[in-house]
Amino acid sequence: MVVNNCGGLPLYDLATVHVLVKQGQVDRANDRVNRNLLSLGWGTATLRAFLLGLKTEHYHGSYKDQEAYAGTVVVDVDAYKMCFDEDGCCEGEPAEHSTYFVKIAIVLRATGDRVAVVSIHLDGQP
């Protein structure tokens, strides 16, 4: 796991996040993520496409002490905002597509490093 401790930069290396996502090492780290994905109509493939579309310019800050895995783990997360074309499963155009906000971390689980999705929703919604 690559963690950056410099202020103003992501905590986790995005290339490492992408490798883990490509390997299918992604967890919906809490029930709220499951509910939000259901309300968005997103399955695992759409979530993975969104995560793979993230670029460093989408970085929107880091948050400390976020609960994951039913409160059994507390993680620091990176937040990203990206306009996303759900039909094409790629970055979208702001005039035509919605912007989504996601909080992610890399966590060590019994099965190895995983990308933990701690929050995902339309931008501007809790």
Side-chain angles (χ1 to χ4, degrees):
M1 166 177 27
V2 179
V3 177
N4 177 357
N5 291 322
C6 298
L9 298 173
L11 299 171
Y12 305 99
D13 177 60
L14 196 53
T16 302
V17 169
H18 288 160
V19 167
L20 291 169
V21 171
K22 287 177 186 173
Q23 294 172 349
Q25 303 299 321
V26 179
D27 290 337
R28 301 171 183 197
N30 58 49
D31 287 337
R32 189 175 84 185
V33 171
N34 285 325
R35 286 191 306 274
N36 287 352
L37 289 172
L38 186 62
S39 72
L40 293 172
W42 287 19
T44 301
T46 306
L47 175 62
R48 288 178 65 187
F50 179 81
L51 294 172
L52 289 171
L54 293 175
K55 300 174 187 168
T56 53
E57 58 262 26
H58 298 135
Y59 175 69
H60 198 66
S62 297
Y63 296 80
K64 296 207 172 280
D65 302 329
Q66 303 288 298
E67 287 190 10
Y69 304 103
T72 62
V73 177
V74 175
V75 294
D76 296 340
V77 299
D78 288 333
Y80 291 86
K81 285 172 62 168
M82 181 175 69
C83 183
F84 187 64
D85 175 354
E86 295 175 88
D87 295 326
C89 285
C90 60
E91 187 170 3
E93 295 295 326
E96 300 173 24
H97 303 100
S98 298
T99 299
Y100 298 88
F101 184 83
V102 66
K103 291 181 186 175
I104 58 174
I106 298 176
V107 296
L108 178 60
R109 303 295 287 165
T111 56
D113 284 347
R114 312 274 301 174
V115 174
V117 179
V118 176
S119 178
I120 188 162
H121 51 80
L122 282 165
D123 187 36
Q125 294 183 345

